[in-house]
Amino acid sequence: MIDFSEFKKFFLFNLIGALVISALVAVITILIGEFNETSAKVLFTLFMVIIHSLISLIFIWDDKKQDTFERLSFFTNILFLIIVVSFITSIFGIWDVIPGEMVTNLYQTYFIIGFSSLHANLLSKAVDKENYLDMIIYLNYVFIGIVALMFFPIIYMENTLSEIYYRFLGAAGIIDGTLSILTIIFYKLYTNKHAHAKENSI
C-alpha cells in the first residue's frame, strides 16, 4: 500500500496556510464594511477551508487513537484523496471556475468511489481464509467495479440512458449485494468452525 503520510502532512500544512490567509481576508472585508458578492465568496471559501481542515484533523486524530489507516488502509487512503479533491472542487465551485451542476456531479462521483473502496476494503478482511471464499470475494470485487462504473453515466448523462440500462444496473446491484451477503455468511461459518476447533484443542 502506498504511504501517503508525507502527502497528508503537506496537505494539512497547506490547509493551515489557506485558513490563515482566508481568515485575514475575511477580517479585513468585515472591517471595511463593504459586503458584496466577492466578500460572500471569501467568507464561504473560509468556511470550506475550516470544514476540510476539521475533517482532516479528525481523520488524523482517529488514526492516532484507533489505528484506522492500518485497519482499512485502502479505504482511508482513498478517503484522504477524496478530501483533497473535495477541497479543490469546493473552491473552484465557489469562484465559478466550474459550474454548480458539475460540482454536484463530482461530489456524487466522490461518494460512489468512497463507498466502493470501503466495500472492497471490508471484503478484503475475509481474503485468504478459504479458496471458495476467495473466489466469491474476487467476483464481488468485479461487480463492485461494474456497479460503480455504471453509476457514472447516470450522474453525467441521466436523460440519455434507456430503461434496459437501469435493468442491467439493478441486476448487477443484486449480484453485488448477494455476493456480499454470501461472504458474510461463509466468513461467519469459517470463524465459528475455527473457534470450535480451537476450543476442542484446549
Side-chain angles (χ1 to χ4, degrees), residues 8 57-71 76:
K8 291 165 187 169
L57 290 173
I58 291 170
F59 196 73
I60 300 299
W61 177 256
D62 181 70
D63 177 57
K64 296 298 182 182
K65 293 170 59 181
Q66 308 291 340
D67 201 22
T68 306
F69 294 155
E70 293 301 322
R71 290 186 291 110
T76 50

Side-chain angles (χ1 to χ4, degrees), residues 124-135:
S124 71
K125 301 305 175 182
V127 173
D128 295 331
K129 301 298 186 293
E130 298 283 359
N131 289 333
Y132 68 87
L133 187 55
D134 287 351
M135 291 178 61

Side-chain angles (χ1 to χ4, degrees), residues 28-94:
I28 292 171
T29 302
I30 292 171
L31 291 176
I32 291 175
E34 291 187 12
F35 195 83
N36 51 32
E37 183 180 351
T38 301
S39 302
K41 289 181 178 180
V42 169
L43 291 176
F44 196 34
T45 300
L46 172 62
F47 175 73
M48 295 308 297
V49 170
I50 292 172
I51 291 297
H52 284 83
S53 298
L54 289 175
I55 293 172
S56 300
L57 290 173
I58 291 170
F59 196 73
I60 300 299
W61 177 256
D62 181 70
D63 177 57
K64 296 298 182 182
K65 293 170 59 181
Q66 308 291 340
D67 201 22
T68 306
F69 294 155
E70 293 301 322
R71 290 186 291 110
L72 294 170
S73 56
F74 176 73
F75 169 66
T76 50
N77 283 329
I78 293 296
L79 182 59
F80 198 86
L81 287 176
I82 289 174
I83 293 172
V84 175
V85 177
S86 169
F87 175 69
I88 296 170
T89 302
S90 66
I91 300 304
F92 281 1
I94 291 169

Side-chain angles (χ1 to χ4, degrees), residues 45-201:
T45 300
L46 172 62
F47 175 73
M48 295 308 297
V49 170
I50 292 172
I51 291 297
H52 284 83
S53 298
L54 289 175
I55 293 172
S56 300
L57 290 173
I58 291 170
F59 196 73
I60 300 299
W61 177 256
D62 181 70
D63 177 57
K64 296 298 182 182
K65 293 170 59 181
Q66 308 291 340
D67 201 22
T68 306
F69 294 155
E70 293 301 322
R71 290 186 291 110
L72 294 170
S73 56
F74 176 73
F75 169 66
T76 50
N77 283 329
I78 293 296
L79 182 59
F80 198 86
L81 287 176
I82 289 174
I83 293 172
V84 175
V85 177
S86 169
F87 175 69
I88 296 170
T89 302
S90 66
I91 300 304
F92 281 1
I94 291 169
W95 293 96
D96 299 323
V97 177
I98 53 178
E101 184 179 354
M102 178 59 69
V103 172
T104 302
N105 292 343
L106 287 172
Y107 273 103
Q108 292 179 65
T109 302
Y110 303 154
F111 175 79
I112 292 170
I113 292 172
F115 183 81
S116 299
S117 64
L118 175 60
H119 189 178
N121 206 165
L122 289 172
L123 288 173
S124 71
K125 301 305 175 182
V127 173
D128 295 331
K129 301 298 186 293
E130 298 283 359
N131 289 333
Y132 68 87
L133 187 55
D134 287 351
M135 291 178 61
I136 294 173
I137 293 170
Y138 294 144
L139 185 59
N140 205 164
Y141 287 159
V142 172
F143 277 92
I144 290 172
I146 290 172
V147 170
L149 290 174
M150 290 188 74
F151 264 112
F152 295 149
I154 294 176
I155 294 173
Y156 295 97
M157 307 183 304
E158 182 178 1
N159 297 326
T160 63
L161 301 173
S162 64
E163 181 183 346
I164 192 67
Y165 186 89
Y166 290 96
R167 289 179 182 271
F168 278 118
L169 175 59
I174 290 171
I175 297 172
D176 180 13
T178 302
L179 290 171
S180 297
I181 293 171
L182 287 174
T183 299
I184 294 169
I185 292 171
F186 285 125
Y187 182 70
K188 183 63 177 176
L189 291 173
Y190 169 85
T191 55
N192 287 341
K193 175 183 173 182
H194 285 75
H196 290 317
K198 185 176 180 180
E199 289 175 1
N200 293 334
S201 65

